[in-house]
Amino acid sequence: KVKSEGKNHFSFFADELSEDLKERVNVEKMLHHSLDADALLVYFQPKYSLIDGHLTGMEALVRMKRCDGSIMTPYHFIPVAEESGLIIRLGKQVLDKSCKQAKAWFDAGKPVKVAVNIGASQFNEFGFTKTVADTLYKYDLSPEWLELEITESALIQNINSAKKAIMSLQRLGVSIALDDFGTGYSSLSYLRSFNFDVLKIDRSFILDIDSDEQAVRIVKAIIDLADSLRLEVVCEGIETQAQLVALQTMGCEQGQGFYFAKPQPAEALESAWEARY
Ligand code: C2E
Ligand code: MG
Ligand code: MG
Ligand code: MG
């Protein structure tokens, strides 16, 4: 009896594993196909000044279209892209499409800085700075309209070479944001080692900012720290007016979140330039 239970147990896990594996292989296939067809989509989510409500930037967020036309979010395919090495091609295509869109907005008399998320292996790949420079050149886009968002995970591999890479990107005229601030292991020591331009406070700190005194104190401390280091601060994931008001009260200067706008295709963002809060 025990034996047969054990066997069923085993086959249960084996089935589950193979389902996982099938899904992973399937996603990788879709990624290959999308990359070959240059068919990845880039959505944009606006960022706003919490002081006067003007548009301060757009974050580029990649999406993949399934065969049935539905849209897959990065959570389902970025890890597969990282593991398979496809993240390099993905990153290049997203950077290309983002710079192209930034140039189109500039030419339309609606200049806005576009922030592109950069994966760890993309950032650490030899020649990344050159790829950025080439893409700016390709679209004749001034570097002031491009920001790169990186997370701590991109920096831990090799602090010294990461420092050099960030400096050379900044020398190009591109700005650097530290994304998901507060979720990593050594956020504070990274602030000392690198000269970021922007700090994005992770959504998890904003979640109960309107009700939790502890969350308020932490965010307030991060904002003050950023001010004294002359870093811009952006709060991610603002969903309610109560969260917005709480952040305005503590002097946060920029925000982003579903309260203002969800990530959307560029064509759907005509009204993003109208001030809002
Ligand atoms: P992230 O860079 O921290 O981006 C913020 C994520 O939070 C986005 O999810 C955005 O849609 C979501 N978000 C924004 N406002 C709100 C809100 O008010 N409430 C909630 N619940 N969520 C909000 P998304 O688009 O699914 O992207 C997830 C992550 O995938 C990104 O986190 C980023 O790390 C990664 N990612 C996205 N695009 C790219 C890319 O082109 N390259 C790389 N390497 N990573 C990317
Ligand atoms: Mg980001
Ligand atoms: Mg983030
Ligand atoms: Mg985040």
Side-chain angles (χ1 to χ4, degrees):
K1 173 134 199 279
V2 171
K3 227 177 189 174
S4 80
E5 239 174 36
K7 194 176 165 205
N8 284 337
H9 210 67
F10 173 77
S11 73
F12 171 74
F13 278 117
D15 279 353
E16 205 173 63
L17 255 183
S18 71
E19 277 306 307
D20 262 16
L21 200 62
K22 260 190 236 157
E23 171 67 9
R24 196 191 169 290
V25 169
N26 191 26
V27 168
E28 195 175 324
K29 246 198 236 159
M30 286 172 60
L31 256 174
H32 261 293
H33 177 80
S34 300
L35 288 167
D36 289 347
D38 195 25
L40 285 174
L41 304 175
V42 179
Y43 279 18
F44 295 90
Q45 186 182 32
K47 289 182 270 185
Y48 288 96
S49 159
L50 303 189
I51 295 163
D52 64 10
H54 79 274
L55 179 73
T56 57
M58 293 278 196
E59 179 175 3
L61 294 156
V62 68
R63 298 289 184 265
M64 184 160 69
K65 215 175 197 163
R66 293 191 188 86
C67 302
D68 66 3
S70 64
I71 301 290
M72 201 187 265
T73 55
Y75 172 77
H76 299 281
F77 63 89
I78 289 284
V80 178
E82 281 274 0
E83 282 165 36
S84 61
L86 289 171
I87 191 76
I88 302 293
R89 287 182 66 201
L90 179 149
K92 275 189 185 147
Q93 289 193 9
V94 172
L95 182 69
D96 189 278
K97 289 172 194 288
S98 301
C99 288
K100 187 178 185 179
Q101 186 58 55
K103 177 65 172 172
W105 276 324
F106 182 86
D107 286 345
K110 297 167 141 187
V112 64
K113 187 181 277 205
V114 171
V116 181
N117 291 284
I118 304 299
S121 39
Q122 186 188 5
F123 178 79
N124 285 294
E125 199 213 13
F126 179 78
F128 175 65
T129 307
K130 183 171 187 303
T131 301
V132 173
D134 289 349
T135 312
L136 290 169
Y137 183 80
K138 175 178 174 187
Y139 291 108
D140 188 26
L141 178 69
S142 169
E144 70 193 280
W145 305 115
L146 180 64
E147 186 160 286
L148 303 176
E149 296 192 3
I150 54 178
T151 58
E152 277 182 28
S153 61
L155 307 172
I156 46 182
Q157 278 185 24
N158 185 335
I159 300 260
N160 279 325
S161 71
K163 231 188 239 177
K164 279 185 199 149
I166 287 179
M167 269 164 43
S168 64
L169 288 162
Q170 286 169 327
R171 232 178 286 127
L172 265 185
V174 168
S175 54
I176 308 289
L178 181 59
D179 205 350
D180 301 341
F181 183 75
T183 57
Y185 290 106
S186 38
S187 306
L188 287 180
S189 75
Y190 281 124
L191 287 190
R192 220 180 64 161
S193 306
F194 300 96
N195 285 309
F196 303 107
D197 301 288
V198 181
L199 212 88
K200 297 193 79 177
I201 303 181
D202 192 67
R203 183 156 65 84
S204 56
F205 293 99
I206 311 305
L207 216 57
D208 38 27
I209 196 82
D210 56 325
S211 56
D212 180 1
E213 258 311 303
Q214 204 75 336
V216 171
R217 289 199 194 96
I218 290 173
V219 172
K220 181 74 179 120
I222 298 175
I223 291 170
D224 291 345
L225 179 67
D227 278 350
S228 61
L229 295 172
R230 293 192 178 71
L231 290 166
E232 273 181 51
V233 175
V234 179
C235 286
E236 311 184 306
I238 304 175
E239 293 185 356
T240 67
Q241 178 148 31
Q243 290 168 339
L244 168 65
V245 171
L247 290 168
Q248 283 173 323
T249 307
M250 59 182 93
C252 182
E253 296 191 348
Q254 283 182 68
Q256 184 181 18
F258 295 170
Y259 177 76
F260 301 109
K262 290 197 168 171
Q264 292 159 75
E267 314 82 73
L269 283 162
E270 297 277 289
S271 66
W273 278 258
E274 290 160 22
R276 65 183 74 166
Y277 43 53

